[in-house]
Amino acid sequence: MGILLTILGIILLIVGVLGVVRGQLLWGIIAIVLGLFLTPGYFFGI
């Protein structure tokens, strides 16, 4: 289950960054925040 959350979180982070770069700030920020919440803390070394 942790692997799936990590993969989903990484995908949301990538989509969020791409959204911000393309000019869709609101969608990008929401995707980044959701990605950070879904990705477990061990992935970031916290």
Side-chain angles (χ1 to χ4, degrees), residues 1 6-9 12-15 17 22-25 28-30 32 34-35 39-40 42:
M1 186 67 170
T6 303
I7 292 171
L8 184 62
L12 279 174
L13 286 171
I14 292 170
V15 167
V17 169
R22 291 182 181 171
Q24 300 173 346
L25 284 178
I29 291 171
I30 290 172
I32 290 171
L34 284 176
T39 307
Y42 67 83

Side-chain angles (χ1 to χ4, degrees), residues 1-10 13 34-46:
M1 186 67 170
I3 289 282
L4 293 176
L5 285 178
T6 303
I7 292 171
L8 184 62
I10 291 171
L13 286 171
L34 284 176
L36 288 175
F37 278 128
L38 284 179
T39 307
Y42 67 83
F43 183 75
F44 297 116
I46 296 174

